[in-house]
Amino acid sequence: MKVLTIIGARPQFIKAAAVSRAFRKHGSFSEVIVHTGQHFDANMSDIFFDELEIPHPHYNLGIGGGTHGENTGRMIEAIEKVMLEEKPDWTLVYGDTDSTLAGAIAAVKLHIPLVHVEAGLRSFNNRMPEETNRKLTDHVSTLLLVPNLVAVANLEAEGITGPRVINVGDVMYDAALIFSAKAERDSRILESLGVAPKRYILATVHRQENTDHPARLSSILQAFAKACQPVLLPLHPRTRQRIAKQGLEVPANVRIIDPVGYLDMVMLEKNASLIATDSGGVQKEAYFHHVPCVTLRDETEWTELVELGWNRLASPGAENFLSAFTVIPPAGRLDAQPYGNGNAAEQIVDVIASFHH
């Protein structure tokens, strides 16, 4: 059985690492990987394939850097050509990026069954491009593989029910379990940066809603300036451009470093005293490593982490936002397993193998 996997951004590389491994182990699949090029920076792309032992893409479309509309349109056209050549039995997409939506549209137009891994997530903020991408993808998918019970309820509310909705758990939890020991063994990032465990706050900022609004980006930097510990900021290329373009000053206690590979990021996450992020994936990784997290957004898809006390929402620009990092919040509860048992990838592959459409 041939599966065409579409990936284009860091969180998708991580998920694909676990699922591609499960495809190889199963034995009855051939997987063709298409990298759209959405993350075209070598630090954010090539290194992930090497570190996570993902087979290098069969197709690298090199599409990135344009507007959402330009990128999505060009991706649909390029992915369709690949599909016509490869004639896959299934197309598999992850998450909520432009690559996800482009893969979904191309598959549906060619009547190729579509699997959406990480289906059913909702932020309920329709201004986010990710919300549009995930909603549209869910409504055209053949198989909706969800990470948790909240996602099942979200789909039910939109009339999507039945045997094609399956709670397999969260594949990012699989990856965290698989690669945590490898990070401990292979990463030297703490030594090379000269930082001590639990003596820094780790931050990531990349979402359009924060980077493209000078007031929000300025508010984030001002809050970091008041932080109770030094802030380590692996900086996304777009955010770096926006800070320079908007003439914003980086506070003295904020240390900017280049984007890091997955194993280095795992080590930085595990050893931070607090994580501040607007990334959906990093919020969960914080929880996997039992590090409190402050999410730099007005809402989150991962509401269960707020309920368990691991995550706090802090809206950049809100009155109390500047004090968001003046204390390290306490740890949350550990009595729940909202993301399954770490075998989501195997379940995904088994479901695809046995599903009759």
Side-chain angles (χ1 to χ4, degrees), residues 27 89 117 202 273 354:
D89 300 294
V117 172
L202 177 67
S273 57
S354 60

Side-chain angles (χ1 to χ4, degrees), residues 263-304:
L263 298 180
D264 283 345
M265 189 63 178
V266 166
M267 282 305 280
L268 290 177
E269 288 169 347
K270 286 177 80 159
N271 290 285
S273 57
L274 175 66
I275 291 174
T277 187
D278 57 10
S279 155
V282 175
Q283 289 172 52
K284 277 190 301 174
E285 287 166 353
Y287 167 69
F288 298 151
H289 303 307
H290 300 152
V291 176
C293 180
V294 173
T295 295
L296 308 170
R297 284 169 53 192
D298 305 335
E299 71 291 298
T300 178
E301 304 81 342
W302 306 106
T303 51
E304 57 281 356

Side-chain angles (χ1 to χ4, degrees), residues 55-66:
H56 274 258
H58 302 76
Y59 296 87
N60 202 325
L61 306 181
I63 297 167

Side-chain angles (χ1 to χ4, degrees), residues 301-321:
E301 304 81 342
W302 306 106
T303 51
E304 57 281 356
L305 294 182
V306 177
E307 286 158 19
L308 289 170
W310 285 101
N311 197 346
R312 286 187 309 157
L313 284 172
S315 176
E319 262 177 56
N320 59 352
F321 179 70

